[in-house]
Amino acid sequence: MSDIRTVLITGAAGDLGSRMRRLLKDAYRLRLTDLKRPTNLAPDEEFVQADLADISALEKAVAGVDGIVHFGGFAVEGTWPIILHANIIGCYNLFDVAHRNGVKRVVFASSNHAIGFYPRRRRIGVNEPVRPDSRYGMSKAFGEAVGALYAYKHGMRVTCIRIGNVSDEPADRRRLSIWLKPEDLAQLVHIGLDHPDIRHEIFYGVSDNVRGFWDNEAAFRYGYRPQGKSEDYRDAALAAQTKLRTDPISEWYQGGPFCSDEYDAEGDPSAV
Ligand code: 15L
């Protein structure tokens, strides 16, 4: 076990943040931050309001914590000003303020959209170049690079989790490949906060899905043993798929609709 005791969760009012508050509270003393106070804040939960682009507010949120679970920022595609503010400036500030405050570990919520433009039929690990499918995905690739800088230059221990899709059940065919059971995400966060050998790692945030797109050997090496199996929900997910509009670009690439959104490249996608 590491000596991580007090952990700040950014984006604590969001879906992932709320789930992790519940799943991590017995292991760490949690401090929460977000743009807005969570509506369901429990009396024993400590909350510090902060915009990630506001360095002095961020300093107050970060002061005194040992580790940070960074789920804050904009969680889907957005305009450039939105992504720039929340996910580029905000992410840089988070790492820089963390470093200046002596934070030992950061777990960064990256996304499958950092590599969304790989075809579904390709099985990729973490050593292929990024292929973002959106400004959002590009900001996640940026965050992974910021994490590498602070790890190798400043000795911070950084774990980037390329999260597939966290939900109680996989919602459609693509999610049968990328589904992440919330408890499996908590397991990956624990590895990032506690494993003694972490320097800078990229893991796929995905459960034990037979249709998976990714080689998650790096996570397995650190002891990750996912419990969720998307195939248990296959019939419901495939039934839901029949109600969706089909789109050849979205169907071809791992990132799904994030790839077809604004897509205007010419030629056959199966050629790349
Ligand atoms: C993500 O990164 C988003 O945060 C989430 O809302 C889903 O869209 C997910 O990817 C997905 O790819 O399904």
Side-chain angles (χ1 to χ4, degrees):
M1 285 299 270
S2 72
D3 50 357
I4 301 298
R5 299 272 173 271
T6 306
V7 172
L8 174 71
I9 300 182
T10 71
D15 181 55
L16 286 191
S18 303
R19 289 177 187 271
M20 287 308 111
R21 281 157 58 193
R22 183 171 53 77
L23 292 169
L24 301 177
K25 72 177 168 41
D26 293 336
Y28 311 99
R29 192 163 58 244
L30 297 182
R31 183 184 296 163
L32 314 177
T33 185
D34 208 313
L35 273 176
K36 289 191 189 133
R37 196 180 179 79
T39 48
N40 56 356
L41 201 65
D44 61 344
E45 285 186 307
E46 184 191 358
F47 177 74
V48 180
Q49 191 271 331
D51 181 335
L52 295 167
D54 176 348
I55 291 179
S56 62
L58 208 47
E59 297 271 4
K60 292 193 186 92
V62 166
V65 305
D66 306 310
I68 300 178
V69 178
H70 182 36
F71 289 156
F74 206 66
V76 288
E77 179 61 316
T79 63
W80 175 237
I82 289 174
I83 296 294
L84 175 65
H85 182 88
N87 291 15
I88 302 286
I89 296 172
C91 179
Y92 176 79
N93 288 347
L94 187 279
F95 275 98
D96 197 54
V97 170
H99 165 54
R100 286 191 280 102
N101 281 271
V103 173
K104 300 183 193 89
R105 294 195 182 222
V106 172
V107 176
F108 170 59
S110 183
S111 167
N112 71 91
H113 297 292
I115 41 87
F117 265 124
Y118 280 97
R120 295 187 188 195
R121 65 173 183 191
R122 244 183 92 178
R123 185 174 168 80
I124 59 162
V126 293
N127 294 322
E128 287 81 356
V130 292
R131 282 195 192 178
D133 57 23
S134 48
R135 290 173 291 277
Y136 166 69
M138 179 189 68
S139 74
K140 294 298 184 180
F142 170 81
E144 292 179 1
V146 178
L149 172 68
Y150 281 86
Y152 292 110
K153 181 160 282 203
H154 302 298
M156 191 182 275
R157 292 164 186 260
V158 178
T159 303
C160 303
I161 308 175
R162 288 183 180 163
I163 298 174
N165 183 249
V166 177
S167 55
D168 294 328
E169 297 180 11
D172 53 30
R173 188 168 54 233
R174 175 173 161 272
R175 266 60 170 265
L176 286 173
S177 299
I178 69 167
W179 180 62
L180 177 59
K181 186 181 165 93
E183 287 77 6
D184 290 342
L185 174 59
Q187 202 190 130
L188 288 166
V189 171
H190 276 298
I191 292 170
L193 289 174
D194 295 328
H195 199 292
D197 301 334
I198 293 283
R199 169 60 63 197
H200 173 260
E201 291 294 340
I202 298 174
F203 298 151
Y204 284 100
V206 66
S207 286
D208 182 15
N209 307 333
V210 291
R211 300 168 191 242
F213 302 142
W214 309 309
D215 173 0
N216 214 6
E217 188 273 331
F220 297 143
R221 222 177 335 114
Y222 283 91
Y224 178 50
R225 298 291 176 264
Q227 300 303 304
K229 292 183 189 306
S230 65
E231 222 51 19
D232 293 349
Y233 307 94
R234 179 191 52 209
D235 294 349
L238 293 180
Q241 180 70 31
T242 61
K243 302 194 180 81
L244 298 178
R245 194 173 55 85
T246 52
D247 161 359
I249 298 301
S250 166
E251 289 290 310
W252 181 257
Y253 289 114
Q254 297 183 2
F258 284 65
C259 297
S260 48
D261 184 30
E262 301 177 35
Y263 186 93
D264 57 9
E266 287 176 8
D268 177 5
S270 65
V272 289

